[in-house]
Amino acid sequence: MSNLASYAVTEKNSRGRLIKETGPTGRSEFQRDRDRIIHSTAFRRLEYKTQVFVNHEGDLFRTRLTHSLEVAQIGRSIARNFHLNEDLVEAISLAHDLGHTPFGHAGQDALNDCMLGYGGFEHNLQSLRVVDVLEERYADFDGLNLCFETREGILKHAAKSNAEKLGEVAARFLNNKRPSLEAQLANFADEIAYNNHDVDDGLRSGLLTLEQLKNVSIFSRHLDVVTKRYPKLTGRRLVHETVRSMINTLATDLTQQSQVNIQNAGVKLLSDVHEATPLIGFSEEVKREQQELKKFLRDNLYQHYRVVRMSNKARHTIERLFDSFNSNIKLLPTQYQIKFQQEKQQAIADYIAGMTDRYAIREYRRLFAIELE
Ligand code: MG
């Protein structure tokens, strides 16, 4: 990849892989990371994991797989404008949710509660665990042996107690340093993607209405622009034009504001990025609008009674699975019993976190339903 900015991550300034390997041919190290992620088992499972709507509620809602693809698309476009390492942004984006539980945030919260006495459960730590430990594809190592910068980007946050256990990849949480701009960018691409697709899915599901969204500044502002331009437009096309226009504004604002931040901070090299304050970010006005939109989504979509009912079922399913495995480890599939005999609850969490929505529901039935086939 040529014409990268002087502060971008490159193969030259990369800290490389934990286990040395011969370099790839015909692709860069970060393209190799991306390819390893796409070929992983955890990546395929994203297809059947909930983003907000449970997989079986409809074929058109986002799943964690399509969410991750949207994050990668948004991240790559912005990275290109910035002359950042597009392949690295893509790799981080595609991997960022690999450790997510079934049933979206309800699943993550439930598993975290189950694991409270055993170190807790946090999906982005689990994503790192997937690529570092759990994937079984290579003869020479566990996990995918990804480059340091990809792993650093996957680990979005870590509590101090966890950071102490994770070593180099989490050192920045202990000595107050920043990750690469590529990692910071992937994080914002995630936010842009989910806020916008949740508006779209919320409207599609009927849980949100256009009338409600007219009270949200960023939406109403863009809706006005679209309606002025296409006064007769209604229905799905009106929604799509508005959402598209929002994504475009957010990506543009993020690019412009971040460029100003980089200039003001006098950042020249990757090492400067680590020392500076976070440099990728929205302008104050857009930041306020994003917060308003997030609050709206929390109050009206994530707390909608139909979503809460789903979350409740998810919690029930995960708690019952966890409690059963924890009280009788013999219920766990043999491979999980053998592999982590020393850390029983971690093995259970790995098993549950790896489940797709429908696998968790089937496993629940296999454990608790008494029915004649
Ligand atoms: Mg995400």
Side-chain angles (χ1 to χ4, degrees):
M1 200 184 286
S2 58
N3 80 350
L4 284 180
S6 57
Y7 39 72
V9 172
T10 62
E11 288 190 23
K12 267 208 177 123
N13 63 23
S14 166
R15 295 168 67 177
R17 302 176 191 278
L18 278 178
I19 295 156
K20 290 260 167 301
E21 297 182 55
T22 41
T25 44
R27 55 182 174 166
S28 75
E29 291 286 7
F30 296 104
Q31 285 173 333
R32 173 146 83 168
D33 278 8
R34 175 205 56 203
D35 299 347
R36 287 182 177 186
I37 290 158
I38 288 178
H39 288 278
S40 69
T41 307
F43 186 73
R44 283 194 300 284
R45 287 176 173 157
L46 295 176
E47 183 175 1
Y48 297 106
K49 291 192 182 200
T50 290
Q51 185 64 27
V52 172
F53 294 90
V54 175
N55 198 255
H56 58 252
E57 289 182 347
D59 290 347
L60 293 176
F61 296 123
R62 268 67 174 191
T63 65
R64 254 177 219 284
L65 179 64
T66 61
H67 161 69
S68 301
L69 295 174
E70 289 183 29
V71 175
Q73 180 274 314
I74 292 169
R76 269 188 5 240
S77 306
I78 303 174
R80 193 174 294 193
N81 288 336
F82 261 118
H83 301 290
L84 292 178
N85 190 327
E86 211 178 308
D87 299 326
L88 173 57
V89 174
E90 186 178 20
I92 296 170
S93 302
L94 293 176
H96 84 284
D97 270 349
L98 287 182
H100 219 295
T101 59
F103 309 124
H105 279 277
Q108 132 92 33
D109 292 347
L111 190 53
N112 184 37
D113 288 347
C114 294
M115 286 291 287
L116 274 186
Y118 317 103
F121 178 88
E122 221 283 295
H123 79 265
N124 94 100
L125 288 180
Q126 189 70 11
S127 297
L128 186 66
R129 188 170 161 77
V130 166
V131 300
D132 278 359
V133 181
L134 295 179
E135 280 290 322
E136 297 178 313
R137 312 188 71 78
Y138 294 89
D140 291 330
F141 44 79
D142 285 337
L144 305 178
N145 195 33
L146 301 179
C147 293
F148 178 88
E149 293 74 16
T150 310
R151 298 170 58 235
E152 173 195 60
I154 292 171
L155 192 64
K156 254 194 292 201
H157 29 247
K160 213 172 156 234
S161 54
N162 288 322
E164 277 160 357
K165 283 181 237 150
L166 288 167
E168 269 303 281
V169 72
R172 74 177 197 270
F173 300 103
L174 300 173
N175 49 25
N176 194 26
K177 299 271 165 64
R178 252 55 56 195
S180 68
L181 293 175
E182 285 82 354
Q184 296 181 35
L185 172 55
N187 215 350
F188 276 92
D190 187 22
E191 184 178 327
I192 295 175
Y194 67 68
N195 280 331
N196 284 284
H197 64 49
D198 288 355
V199 166
D200 184 41
D201 280 352
L203 286 167
R204 185 189 305 279
S205 65
L207 302 193
L208 298 179
T209 64
L210 265 184
E211 285 311 307
Q212 277 178 312
L213 272 156
K214 282 179 187 165
N215 299 316
V216 181
S217 357
I218 191 167
F219 190 89
S220 69
R221 193 153 59 82
H222 287 93
L223 184 66
D224 283 350
V225 174
V226 174
T227 332
K228 267 197 196 99
R229 195 157 168 213
Y230 305 104
K232 289 190 186 137
L233 200 62
T234 54
R236 292 303 306 168
R237 282 190 204 229
L238 179 61
V239 173
H240 288 314
E241 283 292 347
T242 308
V243 170
R244 168 182 303 118
S245 173
M246 286 202 296
I247 294 177
N248 193 32
T249 298
L250 292 168
T252 311
D253 181 81
L254 191 76
T255 308
Q256 285 167 352
Q257 185 60 48
S258 305
Q259 246 145 13
V260 170
N261 297 347
I262 289 168
Q263 254 162 23
N264 289 349
V267 162
K268 297 259 159 18
L269 301 171
L270 177 60
S271 51
D272 302 332
V273 172
H274 298 314
E275 301 297 330
T277 51
L279 295 167
I280 304 286
F282 294 119
S283 65
E284 284 304 320
E285 193 204 339
V286 167
K287 209 187 289 175
R288 264 195 307 279
E289 282 188 338
Q290 282 290 91
Q291 274 157 4
E292 185 199 357
L293 175 62
K294 274 185 180 182
K295 184 173 182 322
F296 171 83
L297 287 171
R298 209 169 38 239
D299 294 346
N300 297 284
L301 182 61
Y302 312 141
Q303 295 296 329
H304 191 287
Y305 84 92
R306 277 173 51 199
V307 175
V308 174
R309 282 184 183 188
M310 187 284 285
S311 304
N312 193 50
K313 274 193 264 189
R315 171 169 285 276
H316 175 80
T317 307
I318 287 193
E319 282 175 354
R320 296 232 23 220
L321 288 176
F322 186 91
D323 290 344
S324 302
F325 295 136
N326 200 23
S327 59
N328 184 1
I329 199 76
K330 295 270 178 239
L331 293 170
L332 265 189
T334 322
Q335 82 231 52
Y336 287 88
Q337 289 184 41
I338 294 166
K339 212 169 153 193
F340 295 107
Q341 266 169 350
Q342 304 306 313
E343 313 164 298
K344 184 170 88 167
Q345 288 80 19
Q346 182 63 59
I348 298 170
D350 287 339
Y351 182 46
I352 293 177
M355 293 177 184
T356 60
D357 294 0
R358 58 188 196 175
Y359 186 94
I361 293 166
R362 275 193 216 123
E363 187 70 338
Y364 182 92
R365 284 203 198 115
R366 281 193 287 262
L367 279 176
F368 303 114
I370 300 172
E371 58 195 20
L372 296 170
E373 289 293 318

